[in-house]
Each structure stands twice: as C-alpha cells, then as structure tokens.
Amino acid sequence: MPRVYNFSAGPAVLPEEVLREAAEEMLDYRGCGMSVMEISHRSSVFDEIIGEAEKDLRELLGVPSNYKVLFLQGGAYTQFAAVPMNLMKNRVADYIVTGQWAKKAWKEAARYGKANCIASSEDKTFSYIPDCSDLPVSPDADYVYICENNTIYGTKFKTLPNTKGKDLVADVSSCFLSEPADVSRYGIMFGGAQKNIGPAGVVIVIIREDLVREDVLPGTPTMLTYKTQADAGSLFNTPPVYGIYICGKVFKWLKAQGGLAAMKTRNEEKAALLYGFLDQSRLFKGTVEKKDRSLMNVPFVTGDKELDALFVREAEASGLVNLKGHRTVGGMRASIYNAMPRAGVEALVDFMTEFESRHPAG
Ligand SMILES: *Cc1c(COP(=O)(O)O)cnc(C)c1O
C-alpha cells in the first residue's frame, strides 16, 4: 500500500523524512542498543534529545529568553484548566469564543472563576473572527484568551486582539509553527503537538517567566502547576519521551525547509491553490469569510449531504483520506498542515475538478 495523502485535522500527517529517520533509528538509537522508547528519561541520551528539541524550537520561533518552553502531557484540553488554575489571581478572565475549542476552554475556566465571553462568532456558526480592536476587556481580568486558529471551522485571527494591556493566552494547537509569530505578544501560547508538529501525547507550553508563579489557585494539582514543570525542565515525572523525540525531528525538518518564513510562503501557496479552486467552482463552496480563512484547515461543502458523502468516499478510494468534516458541522474539511506536500493539495484539486465534471449540477 503506498502512502496516502492524509487530510486529517489531527492526529495528522508527519513529514515522510521524519518517519523514515525514526524507522531507521527504531531498534538502535545512535549506537545505544535500544530504541528511544526504551531509554531512561534521566539518561544523558534523553537530555540531549529534549535539550536540542527546546533549542531548535526557540530558534525557529525566536522565543525570547524570558520565556520557558515546557513539554507536557494531557493534551491541549488539560491546559484549558491549567491556565485558569495558574493565572486566575483575581478569579476573572475574558474569553473570545470563536469555535468549539474556545468555548470548551471558556466553560472549563468558569469552574475556577468568573469567565466572561467578551466576543463571539457563534451567531453565524463561527464562520468569522469578530472585530477585536476595542472589546470590553474587564479591568480586573487576569488574562484574555483566544483560540488562534479554529481547527473545526477553518478561521484564524489575522491580527491579535487588543487586550488593553492584559496578558494574552492563546491556544495555537492547529497553527503552531505554520508561520512566524512574535512570542513577546503572548503571556502563554500552548498547543497539542498532534496537529501541526508531532504525535499525540505532547503539549507544548511557551510561557513568560513572570506567569510561572507559586500563588496558584488552592487545590491546583502539582502536575498542573507551571512552576513544578518549569523548575524540573519538563522532567518532574516521566515525560512523553518518544513524542518529544519526534517533535525534535520535526523541528530539525522545519529548519532544513528554511524555517517559519519559508513555511509561511509554502502554506500560503498551498492554501491559495485550494481556495482559488473553491472560489471559481460551481459545485464546491468554502464556508467561512474570506478575510478570516485559515491556512491550515479548509472546510467546504457542495450543499448536498449525499453528494458530500459520495465525494468523501470516492476521494478516499483515490488515496485522499480523512476529508470528512467535523461531526458537528458536516461537509468536508481538508487540513493542509506543514507536512502536507504541495503535491497533495494539487491531487485534491485535480480530484475535485474531475468530480465536479461528473456532477455539474451540484
Ligand atoms: C485538537 C484541538 C484541541 C484539543 O486537543 P487535545 O490534545 O485533544 O486535548 C484543542 N484546541 C484546538 C485548537 C485543537 O485543534
């Protein structure tokens, strides 16, 4: 079976070069006679793996020296609780609700304090990003929260909200390392690795040092206290060793591709191919406002549920897999993360063109 083009939103496609390298090192990692899955997280071999991963990530994103980089577990979802537990000094936080992940984070925060929804795009099924230039930010808010790229709906913040001096916390799960970012504008950015970076099981938290505090909410578990993790260099307990190793390889791959500026250009080109096709198609339509379109997740529909299902089935038979939209929205969604080659997007557009010629009326 040849490799397919995998358009899954996550766990998602990984660079083939990375998988081949990992396969070569599977039984004997660089002469240590074991696989990385079998080594101690306290060994010098792993010290080097996690050290290099952090160094490469810092270099790629230009992480300032007053930020900590943490490799944790529990997925992005656990951060929905960790963020308020660590940051809600005043027990007040403002949430911008642009999709289901932001909404889940907002609901989770409401368990720990007053979580205000200060803007939402739910009125139009999250198909746009609200104007965030002058929101009613609470004077005593401990932070303002966004989900920067909405994986399910396919929208992205093209400019960060005006937080009126409050710290910005961003879930960047599905746009992590897809383009350069100015880390200094965030208090915390975090993301699950399984979208645009590596395998499931790792969540990366980049946090400004002054937010790594002792005065967390009472009852905050040791494991969810950023200070525990920062003081221990992400080695407080056993970290997701193999996942971190693969993330490290992806960071090296990104550097070899030319870094994040080069990835941005490639991602824009790939997205332009697909959106360009959608904009002229008589059968397929994009579902979100053009100005807010994500470069990573591209939802589209034919307007006919049965035709959508037929499209997904036939695409799968042609080696274009996981194009079914999220169960809550239907239609199709193509996730075209960093590791999706341009040839994959071209193959998708070719297939859509051919499908349209067979179903001209829609
Ligand atoms: C997938 C996703 C999550 C949930 O991630 P888990 O690692 O499964 O907890 C959260 N936020 C965004 C934006 C996502 O895409």
Side-chain angles (χ1 to χ4, degrees):
M1 175 90 186
R3 278 179 59 79
V4 295
Y5 288 120
N6 177 12
F7 294 94
S8 171
V13 55
L14 285 167
E16 198 167 314
E17 295 93 322
V18 165
L19 296 175
R20 284 188 194 288
E21 234 182 79
E24 276 162 26
E25 292 174 346
M26 179 62 78
L27 293 179
D28 174 14
Y29 178 70
R30 299 189 184 171
C32 78
M34 292 176 274
S35 98
V36 172
M37 276 180 262
E38 300 166 296
I39 61 173
S40 165
H41 60 294
R42 307 279 176 213
S43 63
S44 58
V45 177
F46 187 67
D47 268 349
E48 197 176 310
I49 289 173
I50 193 168
E52 267 194 50
E54 177 172 344
K55 183 172 127 304
D56 287 336
L57 175 57
R58 283 182 175 277
E59 213 175 295
L60 277 166
L61 253 185
V63 179
S65 58
N66 63 325
Y67 281 73
K68 296 282 187 193
V69 173
L70 309 176
F71 295 96
L72 307 177
Q73 300 191 68
Y77 215 121
T78 301
Q79 295 305 311
F80 297 171
V83 164
M85 289 186 127
N86 282 268
L87 263 49
M88 258 192 184
K89 255 195 325 208
N90 302 332
R91 301 241 186 191
V92 179
D94 289 348
Y95 280 70
I96 299 174
V97 177
T98 53
Q100 290 196 33
W101 293 119
K103 195 169 177 178
K104 285 176 171 151
W106 170 45
K107 299 272 178 220
E108 190 73 12
R111 303 180 56 172
Y112 303 102
K114 191 159 176 288
N116 306 304
C117 170
I118 55 166
S120 167
S121 53
E122 194 162 14
D123 59 336
K124 292 184 186 157
T125 9
F126 299 121
S127 59
Y128 69 103
I129 299 290
D131 176 1
C132 296
S133 57
D134 185 18
L135 295 174
V137 175
S138 312
D140 53 349
D142 293 309
Y143 58 89
V144 174
Y145 182 102
I146 62 169
C147 176
E148 191 163 332
N149 184 80
N150 297 283
T151 324
I152 296 173
Y153 300 93
T155 58
K156 167 150 200 291
F157 282 81
K158 300 293 164 77
T159 50
L160 294 177
N162 174 5
T163 63
K164 304 190 173 169
K166 304 297 179 191
D167 289 319
L168 177 67
V169 175
D171 175 355
V172 298
S173 292
S174 49
C175 59
F176 224 159
L177 307 186
S178 62
E179 58 185 318
D182 180 357
V183 175
S184 70
R185 298 190 59 192
Y186 301 77
I188 295 181
M189 63 162 76
F190 69 87
Q194 75 273 22
K195 306 287 161 68
N196 202 25
I197 298 183
V202 184
V203 56
I204 298 172
V205 177
I206 301 176
I207 175 170
R208 213 178 56 231
E209 268 168 2
D210 60 288
L211 298 176
V212 178
R213 291 200 304 244
E214 314 236 12
D215 60 334
V216 299
L217 295 192
T220 301
T222 310
M223 279 291 292
L224 294 193
T225 305
Y226 292 130
K227 189 160 191 330
T228 309
Q229 301 290 355
D231 287 352
S234 304
L235 296 172
F236 177 72
N237 73 331
T238 316
V241 169
Y242 198 79
I244 293 169
Y245 156 76
I246 298 291
C247 288
K249 285 204 181 300
V250 172
F251 300 152
K252 294 223 183 284
W253 179 81
L254 288 169
K255 284 170 73 178
Q257 303 299 305
L260 301 192
M263 290 319 294
K264 179 178 195 213
T265 305
R266 281 172 51 169
N267 288 329
E268 282 173 345
E269 286 169 2
K270 286 186 295 177
L273 264 176
L274 187 45
Y275 286 123
F277 173 79
L278 288 172
D279 287 344
Q280 59 74 55
S281 170
R282 279 169 297 111
L283 179 61
F284 297 100
K285 277 178 288 298
T287 55
V288 307
E289 266 189 33
K290 285 187 187 177
K291 68 175 177 37
D292 301 322
R293 283 171 163 175
S294 165
L295 294 182
M296 298 282 98
N297 310 99
V298 183
F300 55 96
V301 295
T302 65
D304 172 341
K305 282 197 173 104
E306 276 170 29
L307 207 52
D308 286 351
L310 181 68
F311 174 82
V312 170
R313 271 203 311 279
E314 290 191 358
E316 174 125 17
S318 305
L320 307 167
V321 311
N322 290 321
L323 282 163
K324 195 167 187 275
H326 190 269
R327 58 195 146 75
T328 58
V329 291
M332 282 75 73
R333 172 179 50 175
S335 295
I336 51 175
Y337 296 121
N338 281 340
M340 172 58 66
R342 183 187 170 97
V345 181
E346 286 169 351
L348 174 60
V349 169
D350 286 349
F351 182 77
M352 290 168 80
T353 307
E354 189 263 337
F355 188 89
E356 181 168 334
S357 74
R358 285 188 284 121
H359 302 275

